[in-house]
Amino acid sequence: MEKKYDASSIKILKGLEAVRVRPGMYIGSVDARGLHHLVWEILDNAIDEALNGYGKVITVSLNKDGSVTVSDEGRGMPVDKHESGKSALEVIFTVLHAGGKFEEGAYKTSGGLHGVGASVVNALSEWVDVEVCTNKRKYHIRFMDGGTRVSKLEDLGPTNKTGSKVTFKPDKTIFETTTFNYQTIVERIREEAFLLAGVKMIVIDEKNARKEEFYYEDGLKAFIEYLNEDRDTLHKPITFDHMYNGIEVKAAFQYTDSYQENVFSFVNLVRTKDGGTHEVGYKTAFTKTINDYARECGILKEKDKNFEGNDIREGLTSIISVSIPEDKLQFEGQTKSKLGTPEAKNAVENIVSENLMYWLLENSELSLKIIKKIQKAAQAREAARKAKEEARKGKNNSKKAEKVLSGKLANAQSKDHTKLELFLVEGDSAGGSAKQGRDSKYQAILPLRGKVLNTQKASLADIEKNEELNTIIHAIGAGVGSDFNLDDINYDKIIIMTDADTDGAHIQILLLTFFYQYMRELIASGHVYIAMPPLYMVKKNKEVFYAYDENELSKLKDGQKCEIKRFKGLGEMNADELWDTTMNPATRSLVNVTIDDPVICDKRVSVLMGNKPELRREWIEENIDFTLEEDYRVM
Ligand code: 2B7
């Protein structure tokens, strides 16, 4: 190891040290999610290279020693001397935010969203090993202990290949866990492969001798088929791929017989979860073109109103993927996940209008089927609107809500909805204990009596007819479906409290499915929680303890003599016990339900709640470990 340090190497080590002191600032967290972030950072660089047309194969390998290797067949990272006197390769791995100077018109996948780069991975790794093939030669460099270079840039001799290969082992003193999840990586890679047409993506698990390859000629078509795998569809997926003023617009859509609209949009392969100009262009084009067509073919008469966007998109699954040169990229919003580039609206609107109209005219039989479906959606919406208006005329809304809720909801006294909690409780007996045990100033209780409807295949009309769901809608007080308005919620926390058994889990899933489909913002903005009742009560020398899982139980037992009681349900706890263990904000633990990855989330809901049992069985067999007694864990 070299001992010579100059001012610049001290600066670099300080820079990387900052990453080690506050890893969360650079990769979000040090849990499993942060750990996987390391892979995404390196992978993004390989994908950038492929996106710009260099290299057709990208491989991710989970190695036996716990390290990960990412390799590409691009031009190879630059190795020439940088102005600092160091090799460009060393700079990429040791200087924070050492972004490459990209040529004008080049595409960059990370789009300034995360892209903190290889140096952060180096800072958070036990070691990093880099091999680069470029200029007909193979080079090697290695770093250790958070970024200290331990080998000079070595020339390993001649080669005819080009490309980069990075292997790193995450630092176990930084991360809570250093075990990579094969499935998580497979899901990400599959999605990247859908969007990156013509590039083969390979995932290898050396430990368990598994390997999967993803290669799609027409990726968006495959993506739509994947998303709609467990839904019944009206036609084959339709795809477009065209350039417009330097912006590449790819779009794909397919109508299903479900009632949900699903749009996933991407910019340079990065998901824009808050949409933006490209999504606006897509929706505008779709609404206008469908209405124009419906008039042209006489379904909409002169006196008829246009179909609304919501009616047109009922049951529609869409993907919009645009590639925008880096110099035109503009993002908005706090998380920079909304596209602002104005030209993107124009580009998408033009391409989609033109191609959609062409397709509708060429496929008149299918077009008619789609327009009829839209017409049905519009009629249902109109009928619902009329019924609501009638109801409003008769008596005011709050009276109606009062009637729906009377005898069911034990409301809280405070009117400050930012402090209020609504407990949705399984069963009347637990509901009774919860009512007695609660803090009635801030906590409201709504016991659920019947089975909750599976809303994956229900229309809004079915839902409003369902007593249980209707009660929940009125209690939350912010409407439902496209009328849902987060500003009107009556509670800050909606807490699902069920028995810790399979029936309880089923109720949780049914409620979450309902919220996901009809009040998605409620989940997305973090208002939905699951209460965690204890599984065991442990009495040691007359003192009472509670254990929330097997692990805590064995810690509590600790070889001592004690009395253990397994709670079969919430109903077995009296009001005080329920308060102490599950409801008291000072001592309880809640799980906050969030939408991590919208594509995966959508897929899970449709597989688990949809009408294709064979796909459900397959998923369960692959993902649930039934050897854990009474405690089914999703791996
Ligand atoms: C800003 C940095 C990270 N870079 C290049 C060129 C090719 C290239 C890379 C890469 C990950 C795992 C193996 C450009 C960009 C550096 O500048 S990074 N390939 N692959 C990669 O990181 N894979 C490049 C222009 C001319 N020649 C090479």
Side-chain angles (χ1 to χ4, degrees):
M1 190 172 132
E2 293 161 273
K3 290 244 169 73
K4 231 178 73 199
Y5 284 99
D6 57 15
S8 69
S9 47
I10 289 170
K11 215 166 96 194
I12 283 163
L13 285 178
K14 273 200 174 147
L16 295 189
E17 185 56 30
V19 180
R20 293 176 63 81
V21 174
R22 287 204 176 69
M25 294 226 339
Y26 299 84
I27 52 160
S29 59
V30 292
D31 55 11
R33 197 200 283 209
L35 178 76
H36 288 82
H37 208 112
L38 301 182
V39 184
W40 314 147
E41 285 300 337
I42 298 295
L43 190 58
D44 273 357
N45 290 339
I47 288 172
D48 269 343
E49 189 63 4
L51 188 64
N52 283 296
Y54 303 99
K56 295 250 163 276
V57 184
I58 294 173
T59 308
V60 179
S61 167
L62 302 183
N63 306 320
K64 284 191 176 139
D65 64 357
S67 66
V68 180
T69 303
V70 180
S71 64
D72 68 42
E73 299 182 358
R75 291 166 292 182
M77 295 183 217
V79 292
D80 47 311
K81 243 192 172 66
H82 186 252
E83 55 200 29
S84 62
K86 298 179 169 35
S87 69
L89 194 56
E90 184 176 350
V91 172
I92 290 172
F93 278 87
T94 53
V95 179
L96 275 183
H97 301 293
K101 282 202 192 75
F102 271 81
E103 312 97 282
E104 199 178 316
Y107 301 106
K108 190 163 164 44
T109 172
S110 44
L113 291 184
H114 36 99
V116 290
S119 59
V120 169
V121 174
N122 196 11
L124 301 175
S125 293
E126 228 169 78
W127 52 262
V128 177
D129 221 65
V130 187
E131 259 178 47
V132 170
C133 294
T134 185
N135 312 332
K136 302 258 173 209
R137 301 200 75 82
K138 187 171 180 173
Y139 299 90
H140 170 257
I141 195 166
R142 186 176 165 91
F143 306 90
M144 271 189 92
D145 299 327
T148 308
R149 181 165 60 84
V150 289
S151 83
K152 273 197 168 157
L153 180 67
E154 287 176 279
D155 184 335
L156 299 184
T159 176
N160 279 323
K161 293 188 191 144
T162 65
S164 311
K165 183 161 121 183
V166 176
T167 305
F168 66 92
K169 186 156 198 274
D171 190 332
K172 55 182 177 309
T173 65
I174 303 260
F175 291 95
E176 287 165 15
T177 166
T178 50
T179 311
F180 289 99
N181 184 318
Y182 178 67
Q183 223 54 44
T184 303
I185 290 171
V186 162
E187 274 166 353
R188 174 83 167 218
I189 291 278
R190 177 191 286 122
E191 209 178 302
E192 307 272 20
F194 283 142
L195 297 169
L196 201 58
V199 176
K200 193 199 275 186
M201 312 268 300
I202 305 169
V203 192
I204 300 168
D205 176 357
E206 295 283 359
K207 249 185 233 166
N208 301 295
R210 293 184 276 185
K211 177 175 167 178
E212 266 163 278
E213 290 192 11
F214 301 97
Y215 174 82
Y216 304 102
E217 299 267 357
D218 189 352
L220 291 208
K221 177 167 175 276
F223 200 165
I224 289 269
E225 281 167 350
Y226 169 75
L227 286 167
N228 283 342
E229 189 181 7
D230 19 66
R231 298 185 172 108
D232 291 319
T233 55
L234 267 59
H235 56 88
K236 291 207 178 79
I238 316 301
T239 61
F240 320 129
D241 182 354
H242 296 279
M243 288 297 288
Y244 188 94
N245 286 351
I247 295 178
E248 184 183 16
V249 178
K250 291 191 196 176
F253 71 88
Q254 184 179 38
Y255 275 98
T256 71
D257 72 346
S258 81
Y259 298 91
Q260 282 85 41
E261 165 193 352
N262 270 313
V263 184
F264 298 106
S265 65
F266 301 83
V267 175
N268 299 356
L269 310 202
V270 179
R271 192 168 26 237
T272 31
K273 78 175 167 44
D274 299 322
T277 48
H278 54 334
E279 234 181 90
V280 171
Y282 179 82
K283 290 181 179 176
T284 309
F286 227 92
T287 305
K288 179 159 187 318
T289 309
I290 293 278
N291 274 304
D292 286 352
Y293 181 81
R295 288 202 185 273
E296 208 152 296
C297 70
I299 291 188
L300 279 180
K301 306 277 187 300
E302 210 170 306
K303 63 175 174 32
D304 292 332
K305 276 195 293 184
N306 266 354
F307 296 131
E308 288 177 21
N310 283 332
D311 302 327
I312 290 171
R313 295 191 302 273
E314 189 179 284
L316 179 67
T317 302
S318 319
I319 300 162
I320 309 145
S321 173
V322 296
S323 298
I324 304 179
E326 212 198 348
D327 51 306
K328 281 195 197 161
L329 269 186
Q330 246 171 273
F331 288 97
E332 295 172 354
Q334 266 187 340
T335 49
K336 297 268 175 253
S337 47
K338 186 175 180 182
L339 181 67
T341 309
E343 296 96 316
K345 174 174 184 289
N346 255 332
V348 179
E349 196 174 334
N350 273 293
I351 300 283
V352 173
S353 294
E354 191 175 313
N355 289 281
L356 178 58
M357 184 55 97
Y358 181 79
W359 183 83
L360 289 167
L361 292 168
E362 287 283 296
N363 298 275
S364 53
E365 212 170 298
L366 265 176
S367 304
L368 197 66
K369 199 162 136 191
I370 290 171
I371 302 281
K372 285 258 154 76
K373 175 184 161 64
I374 294 170
Q375 198 170 27
K376 252 173 72 188
Q379 284 161 354
R381 194 180 300 273
E382 187 60 17
R385 192 187 57 77
K386 277 207 180 114
K388 250 183 224 163
E389 214 145 82
E390 289 298 310
R392 218 170 273 156
K393 267 187 219 153
K395 38 196 160 22
N396 70 34
N397 253 354
S398 63
K399 282 252 175 63
K400 181 175 175 223
E402 234 168 74
K403 193 170 153 218
V404 171
L405 297 173
S406 80
K408 296 176 190 155
L409 177 76
N411 214 346
Q413 288 148 4
S414 165
K415 293 271 175 279
D416 181 357
H417 69 85
T418 64
K419 293 203 175 102
L420 297 188
E421 301 179 343
L422 174 66
F423 282 82
L424 304 173
V425 187
E426 175 183 358
D428 264 335
S429 95
S433 299
K435 282 180 191 179
Q436 275 177 39
R438 69 179 169 148
D439 168 0
S440 63
K441 187 162 179 203
Y442 295 120
Q443 294 180 327
I445 309 294
L446 181 64
L448 302 174
R449 290 157 185 174
K451 253 252 140 74
V452 179
L453 184 73
N454 178 357
T455 54
Q456 177 68 14
K457 286 218 39 121
S459 73
L460 199 53
D462 298 333
I463 283 162
E464 284 173 343
K465 268 183 265 164
N466 179 273
E467 195 181 326
E468 217 67 62
L469 293 178
N470 201 28
T471 315
I472 294 171
I473 294 165
H474 278 93
I476 294 173
V480 63
S482 58
D483 289 338
F484 181 78
N485 183 355
L486 191 65
D487 296 336
D488 293 340
I489 53 174
N490 289 332
Y491 303 92
D492 177 61
K493 292 190 172 69
I494 313 294
I495 302 170
I496 300 170
M497 186 160 81
T498 68
D499 294 339
D501 59 13
T502 47
D503 276 345
H506 190 205
I507 292 171
Q508 285 173 16
I509 291 293
L510 291 166
L511 286 171
L512 290 176
T513 303
F514 167 60
F515 290 140
Y516 178 73
Q517 303 290 17
Y518 289 94
M519 300 187 185
R520 192 166 303 179
E521 258 190 284
L522 192 70
I523 300 187
S525 56
H527 290 282
V528 178
Y529 296 82
I530 292 173
M532 299 294 286
L535 291 179
Y536 301 97
M537 180 168 71
V538 179
K539 270 193 191 155
K540 276 199 288 197
N541 318 320
K542 297 212 173 123
E543 237 190 310
V544 178
F545 301 91
Y546 298 98
Y548 291 80
D549 58 33
E550 310 295 331
N551 209 351
E552 283 186 7
L553 178 67
S554 64
K555 268 194 209 147
L556 275 174
K557 282 198 288 199
D558 195 25
Q560 294 176 53
K561 227 178 88 185
C562 50
E563 188 187 322
I564 298 170
K565 178 182 172 191
R566 167 121 165 92
F567 289 119
K568 294 249 162 53
L570 300 167
E572 286 180 31
M573 281 184 261
N574 65 33
D576 288 341
E577 281 173 330
L578 196 57
W579 165 255
D580 285 338
T581 60
T582 317
M583 296 176 72
N584 180 357
T587 53
R588 73 186 178 196
S589 61
L590 297 178
V591 173
N592 191 199
V593 181
T594 54
I595 299 174
D596 199 3
D597 180 325
V599 170
I600 292 166
C601 187
D602 184 70
K603 186 76 187 155
R604 290 269 193 286
V605 174
S606 64
V607 171
L608 294 176
M609 309 309 288
N611 51 358
K612 303 220 170 148
E614 65 285 3
L615 290 173
R616 184 155 45 245
R617 167 178 288 275
E618 209 174 280
W619 187 89
I620 291 171
E621 282 174 356
E622 272 174 30
N623 293 280
I624 310 286
D625 181 356
F626 283 103
T627 57
L628 294 166
E629 225 181 304
E630 292 191 49
D631 183 8
Y632 305 115
R633 268 175 222 187
V634 176
M635 307 305 281

